[in-house]
Every structure is written in C-alpha cells, then in structure tokens.
Amino acid sequence: MAETAPANDAPAPREYSGVERAAVLMMLVGDEEAAAILQKLEPDEVRQLGKAMFAVADVSEEEVESVLDDFVEKARERTAIGFDPRPRIEGMMTKALGPEKAESVLARITPVQDAGAIELLAWLDAGDIAALIEKEHPQIAAVLIANLDPAIGAQVLELLPDGAQPDILHRIAKLGPITHEAIETLKTVLAKRIGLGSQATAVAFGGTREAAKIMQSSRKTTEQRVMPKLAKIDREVARAIEEAMFVFDNLLDLDDKNLGTLIRNIDGDLLVRALKGVDEAARNRFLGCMSARAADGIRDEMESRGPMRLSEVHEAQKAIIQIARALAKDGTIMMGGGDDDYV
C-alpha cells in the first residue's frame, strides 16, 4: 500500500496589495527617507499608506522576503516591524507633515481599540458627537470640541442649540490648563456615554487660536450669528478670535476687483505703513491693483519714510483688516467664507 504524503498544514502565503507592499517598504527604510516619500503624497494617499503600515506591523521575515526580495538583508538588520509601530509611524508622519497635520492624520488611522474615550470621538460623525454632549455642561462640550479637528468641531458646534453656541465658543477661547480631576470626570462621562472603560488619554488645551480655527471652518451664517452674541458675553475675547481668524496676508486672497475696492477705501498713509511690513511679492500684489501713478506715489513715500517700528506696521495692518471686515459686512467687497452660503 502506497504511503500517503503528509498533509501540508502550513498556511497559504499572505497576498499583499500594492499599498501594503509600499507599507512594508516604508517600515524598512529610515525615518528620513520615509518622511521624504510621505511629503510627495496627497493627503488621501498618506491616510491609505498609514492604515496599511498598521496592517502590516506583524509581517514575518518570510513574508518580507516574498514581497521585497531585493531588501531581505536590509530587512533582517533594520526592521522593527514586529514591535509596536506607533512611535515609528508618528515620528515619520510628524517629520513629513508637521505636528498639526500629522496629528490630524493619525487621529483617523490609529486603530480604534488602542484609543481612549476622547480619541474615539475622532471616529464618530459630527451628529453622534453632538448628541453625546448636547445635554452635558457647556464646559465639557467646550473641552471636547477643542480636542476635535477644527472642521469636525465646527460641525459639532453648529449642531448644538443656537443659544449654547456663543457660550461654548467663549469657553473654548478661555480654556487653559485642565486639572487631573476635571479630565477624569470628562473621561467618566464619555465612558458612560460611549460604553468604554476610562482609559488614559491626552487632553489638549483650547484657546483663542482653537476657537478661531473652529469659526474659520464654520459656515459664514454661523459666524455671523455666533460672533455678535459672543461679543455681548465678552467683547475682548470676540475681538481676539476675529483677529486670529483673519490676518493681513489673507487680503492677498481677494481678487483684483475686491482688492482694488479695498485699496480705494484706505488712506494712503495707512497703506504705506502697512506695506512696509510685507515682502516684495505681497507689496506688488497691492500696488498692481492701483493706477501706475498711485503705485509710484506709494513706492516713493515708502522709500522716503526709512525704517519704521514693527509695532506701527502691525497697527496699520490691523486697521486695514478692520476696514476690510467692515466693507465685507456691508457687502461692498466679497471675502472668503463658507461654501454653502449661496441661494
């Protein structure tokens, strides 16, 4: 009787997709090389590759050989894929994209099971988050929204009751260091709502910049409704948020017609002082919207003024920003706003 060949119980080799093959390579090369590659990719490609890098974190040496025969020796010496990939991925993402963009990408690609209650919010849509916090204290809502991506935070704020929005935005702008007890209370509230255990997590501070980013990401109608109400609560905070939302360089985004209209409403002396603090390209953008005679006059005046205090330049630029906002408010010029404000 012929002997039966022993059954082959070895699992079939894993089939890797193209993006997974790229992920293996990314995990094998140095951080600098990986960062250089990431810088060349589009945001969606970065997210796909980042997800794949987590997916191949447990790749075996045999699988590395099957995917990248030419890099076997390098893989044996340098790869650390069998360990926690988080520090490596976070490091190369930060080098390639900068801290803020890297944090935004990682918030969406880090596996959910490793996230604490607050991080899990990044995986929920705006409607779910708004429903979670609608009946909580405004301070809890402020801390949570401050920890979201500004675009998502803006959506969540808009879904909360109209009357609560100015108060929450004010609290975001005034957030500072948060006590350990407050963080634990916050995590407990979320854990009960979401159904998680209270896990350790980092809570970012809010502040004027965070509030401004949320307003910048909001619809124009939301800004027009919320900001006047906020000014009644705290005029200084409202002014600080408006200043953070719009800086002098944003005027360069105006088209020639609107920029020309703005320039005609600015006193020449004010324009001279403001343009002393910008580079040649920005200066030419302004002067290009003027008549040749007027532009030559501004150039001559700038040269005759000599050195000027930086504080004086900044004050002139702030004054022009206020003029621009006033002209935009009465409809004389069109400035950037939400893309859903047309009827």
Side-chain angles (χ1 to χ4, degrees), residues 287-301:
L287 298 179
C289 292
M290 305 170 63
S291 68
R293 181 178 178 181
D296 288 340
I298 293 294
R299 289 191 182 94
D300 292 341
E301 184 64 22

Side-chain angles (χ1 to χ4, degrees), residues 2 7 17 36 52 67 91 99 111 158 191 200 255 257 271 276 280 285 292 306 327 332 340:
S17 67
V67 174
E158 290 174 345
D255 60 28
K257 179 181 177 181
L271 185 59
K276 288 284 285 188
E280 190 66 24
R285 176 78 175 86
L327 292 174
T332 303
D340 57 352

Side-chain angles (χ1 to χ4, degrees), residues 15 25 45 59 66 103 137 142 144 151 170 203 261 302 328 334:
E15 292 294 329
L25 174 60
E45 293 173 329
V59 62
S66 69
E103 182 179 355
H137 191 281
L144 290 181
H170 180 247
V203 178
T261 301
M302 290 176 64
M334 292 292 295

Side-chain angles (χ1 to χ4, degrees), residues 140-158:
I140 291 178
V143 174
L144 290 181
I145 292 174
N147 277 269
L148 296 172
D149 178 275
I152 302 299
Q155 295 176 35
V156 173
L157 183 68
E158 290 174 345

Side-chain angles (χ1 to χ4, degrees), residues 186-207:
L186 175 61
K187 289 191 291 182
T188 300
V189 169
L190 280 179
K192 290 179 180 178
R193 291 280 189 174
I194 302 176
L196 291 178
S198 179
Q199 301 179 30
T201 186
V203 178
F205 301 152

Side-chain angles (χ1 to χ4, degrees), residues 151-179:
I152 302 299
Q155 295 176 35
V156 173
L157 183 68
E158 290 174 345
L159 290 172
L160 295 175
D162 289 355
Q165 292 174 16
D167 180 32
I168 292 173
L169 187 65
H170 180 247
R171 291 173 182 272
I172 292 172
K174 299 289 286 184
L175 280 177
I178 304 171
T179 66

Side-chain angles (χ1 to χ4, degrees), residues 3-302:
E3 293 185 4
T4 303
N8 186 3
D9 295 328
R14 175 176 174 178
E15 292 294 329
Y16 285 91
S17 67
V19 69
E20 287 176 331
R21 290 172 180 270
V24 172
L25 174 60
M26 291 289 286
M27 298 297 287
L28 298 179
V29 301
D31 288 353
E32 294 293 338
E33 293 87 346
I37 294 171
L38 289 172
Q39 288 174 330
K40 304 294 184 181
L41 302 180
E42 296 296 325
D44 186 57
E45 293 173 329
V46 173
R47 287 191 290 269
Q48 290 183 43
L49 189 56
K51 288 182 180 179
M53 287 159 69
F54 277 106
V56 302
D58 59 347
V59 62
S60 68
E61 184 177 281
E62 291 75 17
E63 289 170 323
V64 170
E65 291 177 342
S66 69
V67 174
L68 296 170
D69 290 336
D70 293 338
F71 289 87
V72 171
E73 293 304 319
K74 186 175 181 181
R76 285 175 175 165
E77 296 172 4
R78 298 183 59 179
T79 184
I81 295 177
F83 301 96
D84 181 9
R86 190 184 313 271
R88 188 95 185 277
I89 297 173
E90 289 178 353
M92 66 176 68
M93 288 280 187
T94 300
K95 287 182 180 179
L97 307 175
E100 292 186 2
K101 289 183 180 179
E103 182 179 355
S104 177
V105 171
L106 287 165
R108 286 162 175 74
I109 66 173
T110 302
V112 180
Q113 62 267 27
D114 293 334
I118 292 177
E119 284 92 338
L120 184 60
L121 292 176
W123 297 85
L124 303 179
D125 63 33
D128 291 335
I129 299 173
L132 284 173
I133 63 177
E134 182 175 2
K135 296 183 180 180
E136 298 297 340
H137 191 281
Q139 191 71 5
I140 291 178
V143 174
L144 290 181
I145 292 174
N147 277 269
L148 296 172
D149 178 275
I152 302 299
Q155 295 176 35
V156 173
L157 183 68
E158 290 174 345
L159 290 172
L160 295 175
D162 289 355
Q165 292 174 16
D167 180 32
I168 292 173
L169 187 65
H170 180 247
R171 291 173 182 272
I172 292 172
K174 299 289 286 184
L175 280 177
I178 304 171
T179 66
H180 176 75
E181 291 76 12
I183 293 174
E184 289 304 316
T185 300
L186 175 61
K187 289 191 291 182
T188 300
V189 169
L190 280 179
K192 290 179 180 178
R193 291 280 189 174
I194 302 176
L196 291 178
S198 179
Q199 301 179 30
T201 186
V203 178
F205 301 152
T208 300
R209 286 186 60 191
E210 290 302 318
K213 289 178 182 178
I214 291 169
M215 278 290 95
Q216 284 175 320
S217 300
S218 300
R219 293 175 295 177
K220 195 67 178 178
T221 52
T222 300
E223 178 191 340
Q224 293 171 340
R225 185 185 69 252
V226 171
M227 292 305 294
K229 294 179 180 179
L230 175 60
K232 293 181 179 179
I233 297 173
D234 192 325
R235 184 174 297 276
E236 291 303 316
V237 167
R239 181 181 295 112
I241 291 175
E242 288 183 344
E243 290 180 357
M245 286 174 61
F246 198 84
V247 295
F248 191 74
D249 284 349
N250 294 137
L251 295 175
L252 300 175
D253 296 330
L254 294 173
D255 60 28
D256 289 351
K257 179 181 177 181
N258 284 298
L259 185 55
T261 301
L262 171 61
I263 291 172
R264 288 192 292 273
N265 284 270
I266 300 172
D267 178 75
D269 177 70
L270 188 63
L271 185 59
V272 167
R273 286 184 282 133
L275 293 183
K276 288 284 285 188
V278 301
D279 60 31
E280 190 66 24
R283 190 175 301 155
N284 289 337
R285 176 78 175 86
F286 275 85
L287 298 179
C289 292
M290 305 170 63
S291 68
R293 181 178 178 181
D296 288 340
I298 293 294
R299 289 191 182 94
D300 292 341
E301 184 64 22
M302 290 176 64

